[in-house]
Amino acid sequence: MLIEELVMLSYIGSMPADKPRVDDLELIEDLLVAANGLQDFVQGLCDVAAQVASRETGIAVDCGISLSRPKRPSAVAGSTTIAAQLMDGEHDTVDEGPCLEAWATGSRVLVGADAMEQRWPLHSKTLALAGYASALLVPFAFRDGACALMVFLAATPGAFTEDATPVIDRFNHTAHQALQIALKTAAGSDLISDLHAAMRSRSVIDTACGMIMMQERCTQEEAFRTLQRASSARNKKLRLVAEEILRRANSSAVRCRESGVGSSRT
């Protein structure tokens, strides 16, 4: 499936209306294949995006990406430490801001950091303190409910001109497709991890039930109900109660062995 999607990504990149440079496309494809997990891919994509933007604008451009997934850890990366720190706090804390503007419109948002920028003075001040004079925010939305924000940052005022942004936009189109593939791959890995965790939990619960059956001389169903009542009474997950039972049993076994060794010496 991943190979087929890489071929499709190559096809998308080859269309005249949305054609990024071939070497950029190859870099993204290499990232998809070689990345060690979603965070690693997001970091690599961030670095490539900074390279592309720097090349097209003719000045040094940093890039940051913040990726959020429902009920999963987020991924935050930056081509520099400062960019990463900005992305880690890149959430509007008031009722308005460039992030909310980007999400509301679904379009890129240009932000300045000088006195002429009157829309979001607090955000502009944060940019200026970090050493940036302009920013380009690009929102991404995905079918599974995940969302991402890619932010290009430059120390030069008006860095993202009409000549440069179309090329960056075309790169972002390909980056969006690549992130979707990376998210699907991560979802598969998450599913496997969840299944393994569920199997481990089931094993712990079954072992605890077995111990209750031995102690209480009851059926497995009765032992499981006993475990459920303990879970409800303590307001703890069933697995945690089961783990506690096993820890106590192991501690008791260790004390019995130590006691036996001590008595044999006397």
Side-chain angles (χ1 to χ4, degrees):
M1 180 61 71
L2 178 59
I3 300 301
E4 294 175 356
E5 290 179 328
L6 285 174
V7 173
M8 180 58 69
L9 183 61
S10 300
Y11 173 72
I12 292 171
S14 67
M15 291 188 290
D18 293 304
K19 184 177 181 181
R21 283 176 46 157
V22 175
D23 52 350
D24 297 336
L25 183 61
E26 290 176 347
L27 283 172
I28 293 178
E29 291 176 343
D30 289 343
L31 285 174
L32 283 169
V33 174
N36 184 23
L38 185 61
Q39 176 65 46
D40 191 37
F41 173 75
V42 171
Q43 180 62 61
L45 183 62
C46 208
D47 295 337
V48 174
Q51 294 173 20
V52 172
S54 297
R55 182 189 69 218
E56 297 304 325
T57 59
I59 59 175
V61 175
D62 296 336
C63 179
I65 298 176
S66 177
L67 174 65
S68 298
R69 297 185 293 162
K71 299 180 180 180
R72 295 291 180 185
S74 60
V76 177
S79 59
T80 64
T81 301
I82 295 177
Q85 290 172 346
L86 281 176
M87 295 309 300
D88 202 26
E90 187 62 59
H91 301 286
D92 301 320
T93 57
V94 292
D95 293 335
E96 59 181 1
C99 300
L100 295 177
E101 177 75 12
W103 288 121
T105 62
S107 304
R108 58 184 175 86
V109 175
L110 280 168
V111 181
D114 55 21
M116 299 299 293
E117 178 60 84
Q118 299 296 323
R119 293 173 298 173
W120 307 294
L122 291 178
H123 188 275
S124 298
K125 183 178 180 180
T126 300
L127 283 179
L129 289 174
Y132 298 113
S134 53
L136 174 64
L137 292 78
V138 183
F140 294 146
F142 304 96
R143 291 187 298 271
D144 60 357
C147 58
L149 187 68
M150 179 180 287
V151 181
F152 296 92
L153 301 155
T156 304
F160 306 105
T161 64
E162 292 299 324
D163 293 333
T165 50
V167 179
I168 296 175
D169 286 342
R170 288 193 291 271
F171 171 83
N172 290 337
H173 174 75
T174 304
H176 190 182
Q177 301 294 327
L179 275 169
Q180 182 67 69
I181 296 173
L183 283 167
K184 290 178 66 176
T185 303
S189 298
D190 291 339
L191 177 60
I192 293 174
S193 298
D194 289 346
L195 289 174
H196 286 167
M199 291 173 64
R200 288 193 296 271
S201 295
R202 186 72 256 181
S203 176
V204 169
I205 292 171
D206 287 344
T207 303
C209 284
M211 299 190 68
I212 295 173
M213 290 168 63
M214 291 176 58
Q215 293 176 358
E216 303 296 329
R217 299 292 192 269
C218 63
T219 66
Q220 184 176 8
E221 183 178 352
E222 291 170 336
F224 185 73
R225 284 202 297 267
T226 299
L227 200 60
Q228 284 182 316
R229 287 194 296 270
S231 172
S232 178
R234 301 180 187 181
N235 195 26
K236 282 187 177 181
K237 291 183 178 180
L238 205 65
R239 174 182 56 82
L240 296 179
V241 175
E243 289 176 349
E244 185 178 340
I245 291 174
L246 296 184
R247 282 196 299 270
R248 290 182 177 179
N250 289 334
S251 297
S252 297
V254 169
R255 286 196 298 270
C256 288
R257 285 197 298 270
E258 291 176 348
S259 176
V261 170
S263 60
S264 64
R265 287 179 178 176
T266 58

